[in-house]
Amino acid sequence: MESEDIVYSKAYRLIKPEKFEEVILEHTINHNQVVVQPILASICHADIRYYTGQRRKEALQKKLPMALFHEGIGRVVKSKDESFFKGQRVVIVPNIPARRLKAPLINEKSSSYRRIVKDNYLPDSFFLGSGYDGIGQQHLVLPTENVIPVPENIPDEIAVLAELTSVSLQAANYVSDYFNDGRIAVFGDGPVGYLTAATLHHVFDISKENLLVFGAIDERLAHFDFATTHLVHDFNFREEANVISVIECTGGKFSNNAINQAIDLIEPQGKITLLGVSEEHVLLNTRDILEKGLTVYGSSRSTEDEFKTLMNEFQNKAFQRTLKKLIPNKNEVIRNVQDLEKTMDKAMKSKDWKKTYLSFKWD
C-alpha cells in the first residue's frame, strides 16, 4: 500500500558474498524527485567484485547489505516534476550528491568547499550500488538531475551502455585539449577500453591512424576496427613517436605494467588519464614522470553532463553499430533472487568479452 509521498520497493540485496536476500524498502518521495522502475541493467566488474567478495574486508563490512548495479535504464512510475511523464524511458545517473537528497536544499550548492568540486568527487556524494542501494530494486527515487530521458531512436540495449561510456567520456575530456597536437593511445582491450576508444573515435573524431589501442588478446583487439591496434608483449614503447595523450583502462593486476608502458610511450609534457581500478597499490616510474614533465589525472565515475552529451551522440547510427559489438546475444531475465544468483554465478565465471544484461520482471 502506497501513499502520495511513499513508495515501496522490492529489492535484491547482497547480504554476503554470493548471497542475495529479497527485502522491501520504503522510500520517501520529496520535491523534484522521480520514481523510476528499472527495466534493464548491465553488470559491471565492480558488481562482480562485491558478489565474489574480492573487495577489501572492511569495504564489504561497511557497504553490505546493499542492492547492486549502477548501469541501467528504467521507466518513470511517478514524478513530482512536470517535465517527466509516467512510462517515460530514462537512463539512470548513479552518482547522487548528498545535497540533492536533502529537501528543501536540493538545488543549493554545498558551502563546505571554497572551490568548485565536481559532483563525482565530493566525499559526501552517494553512488548507486556502492554503499547505497543500487538498480537491483523495483523502485528508485531519484533527483530529477539523475534521470535523463532516452530519445526514441536509441534502443534499450544501446542506452544501457551510457553509464560506462560516460566514464570514458569524462576521462577523455581531461586530455581533449591535446587531441589536435598528436596521437592518443588507449591501454586495455576489455569493455572499458573498447568504449573509451569508441568514444574517442565517434565523439571526438579521432581517426584510425591517430588512435592507438594496446591490448593482450588478439581476438579482443580484432573488435577495434576503427583504431590501430598492437599487442603489448611485442611492442617497443620507447620507439613510438608523437603520442601526446594516453588513457589507461586496464585496472587490476595489469595496471602496473600498463601505466609504466604509457610513461615509456608518451612524449614529454604529455597527459595520462588513469581509469582502471586496482585494489592494490601500483608502482610508478616517477623518474620519467618528472623528467618528461608529465601530467597524470585520476578519473572516476561521471556526472549528468556526460549522460546528456551521450544521449545526443548515441543517436549516431555509426556509433550504435560500434556499440552493438558489446551487446550480449540474449538478456538474462530476473524474476527473483534465485534468477539473480544464477546469473551472477555465470557472469563471474564467464570469459565472454560482451556485457551481461539483466532484464528485470517485477510483477
Side-chain angles (χ1 to χ4, degrees), residues 29-34 79-82 100 106-107 142-145:
I29 312 169
N30 293 317
H31 177 66
N32 283 346
Q33 291 188 325
V34 181
S79 176
K80 290 204 168 186
D81 185 309
E82 294 182 355
R100 292 184 183 165
I106 292 171
N107 294 318
L142 299 167
T144 54
E145 296 94 332

Short mmCIF file of all heavy atoms in Angstrom, two decimals, residues 29-34 79-82 100 106-107 142-145:
data_model
loop_
_atom_site.label_atom_id
_atom_site.label_comp_id
_atom_site.label_asym_id
_atom_site.label_seq_id
_atom_site.Cartn_x
_atom_site.Cartn_y
_atom_site.Cartn_z
N ILE A 29 9.25 10.21 -1.22
CA ILE A 29 9.37 10.99 -2.45
C ILE A 29 9.31 12.47 -2.08
O ILE A 29 8.28 12.96 -1.60
CB ILE A 29 8.25 10.66 -3.45
CG1 ILE A 29 8.10 9.16 -3.61
CG2 ILE A 29 8.52 11.33 -4.80
CD1 ILE A 29 6.85 8.74 -4.37
N ASN A 30 10.40 13.18 -2.29
CA ASN A 30 10.48 14.59 -1.97
C ASN A 30 10.28 15.45 -3.22
O ASN A 30 10.14 14.94 -4.33
CB ASN A 30 11.83 14.91 -1.32
CG ASN A 30 11.99 14.26 0.04
OD1 ASN A 30 11.06 14.27 0.85
ND2 ASN A 30 13.15 13.68 0.29
N HIS A 31 10.32 16.74 -3.00
CA HIS A 31 10.17 17.70 -4.08
C HIS A 31 11.24 17.48 -5.15
O HIS A 31 12.40 17.19 -4.85
CB HIS A 31 10.28 19.12 -3.52
CG HIS A 31 10.20 20.20 -4.55
ND1 HIS A 31 9.06 20.46 -5.29
CD2 HIS A 31 11.13 21.11 -4.96
CE1 HIS A 31 9.29 21.46 -6.10
NE2 HIS A 31 10.54 21.88 -5.93
N ASN A 32 10.84 17.59 -6.42
CA ASN A 32 11.76 17.44 -7.56
C ASN A 32 12.44 16.08 -7.60
O ASN A 32 13.61 15.96 -7.97
CB ASN A 32 12.83 18.54 -7.55
CG ASN A 32 12.31 19.87 -8.05
OD1 ASN A 32 11.23 19.93 -8.65
ND2 ASN A 32 13.05 20.93 -7.81
N GLN A 33 11.69 15.05 -7.22
CA GLN A 33 12.21 13.68 -7.34
C GLN A 33 11.30 12.85 -8.24
O GLN A 33 10.12 13.15 -8.42
CB GLN A 33 12.35 13.03 -5.96
CG GLN A 33 13.47 13.65 -5.13
CD GLN A 33 13.75 12.88 -3.86
OE1 GLN A 33 12.85 12.33 -3.23
NE2 GLN A 33 15.01 12.85 -3.45
N VAL A 34 11.90 11.81 -8.80
CA VAL A 34 11.21 10.96 -9.77
C VAL A 34 11.32 9.51 -9.31
O VAL A 34 12.39 9.07 -8.87
CB VAL A 34 11.84 11.12 -11.17
CG1 VAL A 34 11.10 10.26 -12.20
CG2 VAL A 34 11.85 12.57 -11.61
N SER A 79 6.25 11.12 -10.85
CA SER A 79 7.18 12.24 -10.82
C SER A 79 6.55 13.45 -10.15
O SER A 79 5.37 13.73 -10.36
CB SER A 79 7.61 12.62 -12.24
OG SER A 79 8.43 13.77 -12.23
N LYS A 80 7.34 14.15 -9.34
CA LYS A 80 6.91 15.42 -8.76
C LYS A 80 7.44 16.58 -9.59
O LYS A 80 7.39 17.72 -9.15
CB LYS A 80 7.38 15.52 -7.32
CG LYS A 80 6.64 14.55 -6.38
CD LYS A 80 6.66 15.04 -4.96
CE LYS A 80 5.70 14.23 -4.09
NZ LYS A 80 5.58 14.78 -2.74
N ASP A 81 7.96 16.27 -10.75
CA ASP A 81 8.44 17.28 -11.70
C ASP A 81 7.65 17.09 -12.99
O ASP A 81 7.65 16.01 -13.59
CB ASP A 81 9.93 17.09 -11.95
CG ASP A 81 10.52 18.19 -12.82
OD1 ASP A 81 9.95 18.45 -13.89
OD2 ASP A 81 11.56 18.77 -12.45
N GLU A 82 6.98 18.13 -13.45
CA GLU A 82 6.09 18.02 -14.61
C GLU A 82 6.82 17.78 -15.92
O GLU A 82 6.19 17.46 -16.93
CB GLU A 82 5.22 19.29 -14.72
CG GLU A 82 4.25 19.46 -13.57
CD GLU A 82 3.37 20.70 -13.74
OE1 GLU A 82 3.59 21.46 -14.71
OE2 GLU A 82 2.47 20.89 -12.90
N ARG A 100 21.35 16.81 -3.11
CA ARG A 100 20.13 16.56 -3.86
C ARG A 100 19.12 15.72 -3.10
O ARG A 100 17.97 15.62 -3.48
CB ARG A 100 20.46 15.87 -5.18
CG ARG A 100 21.22 16.76 -6.15
CD ARG A 100 21.43 16.05 -7.45
NE ARG A 100 22.22 16.87 -8.36
CZ ARG A 100 22.80 16.40 -9.46
NH1 ARG A 100 22.67 15.12 -9.76
NH2 ARG A 100 23.49 17.19 -10.24
N ILE A 106 17.74 20.83 -2.14
CA ILE A 106 18.18 20.04 -3.29
C ILE A 106 18.97 20.88 -4.28
O ILE A 106 19.96 20.44 -4.84
CB ILE A 106 16.96 19.40 -3.98
CG1 ILE A 106 16.36 18.33 -3.05
CG2 ILE A 106 17.35 18.77 -5.31
CD1 ILE A 106 15.05 17.79 -3.50
N ASN A 107 18.56 22.11 -4.50
CA ASN A 107 19.19 22.92 -5.54
C ASN A 107 20.30 23.83 -5.00
O ASN A 107 20.82 24.66 -5.72
CB ASN A 107 18.13 23.77 -6.25
CG ASN A 107 17.16 22.91 -7.02
OD1 ASN A 107 17.57 21.96 -7.67
ND2 ASN A 107 15.88 23.23 -6.94
N LEU A 142 14.77 9.16 -7.30
CA LEU A 142 15.96 9.89 -7.72
C LEU A 142 15.67 11.37 -7.92
O LEU A 142 14.57 11.74 -8.34
CB LEU A 142 16.48 9.32 -9.05
CG LEU A 142 16.90 7.85 -9.04
CD1 LEU A 142 17.08 7.35 -10.46
CD2 LEU A 142 18.17 7.68 -8.24
N PRO A 143 16.65 12.23 -7.66
CA PRO A 143 16.50 13.65 -8.04
C PRO A 143 16.34 13.76 -9.56
O PRO A 143 16.84 12.91 -10.31
CB PRO A 143 17.83 14.27 -7.58
CG PRO A 143 18.38 13.33 -6.57
CD PRO A 143 17.94 11.97 -6.98
N THR A 144 15.65 14.79 -10.00
CA THR A 144 15.40 14.93 -11.44
C THR A 144 16.69 14.98 -12.26
O THR A 144 16.72 14.51 -13.40
CB THR A 144 14.57 16.19 -11.72
OG1 THR A 144 15.24 17.33 -11.13
CG2 THR A 144 13.18 16.09 -11.15
N GLU A 145 17.76 15.55 -11.67
CA GLU A 145 19.02 15.64 -12.41
C GLU A 145 19.64 14.28 -12.67
O GLU A 145 20.51 14.13 -13.53
CB GLU A 145 20.04 16.50 -11.63
CG GLU A 145 19.62 17.96 -11.46
CD GLU A 145 18.90 18.19 -10.15
OE1 GLU A 145 18.27 17.24 -9.62
OE2 GLU A 145 18.98 19.31 -9.63
#
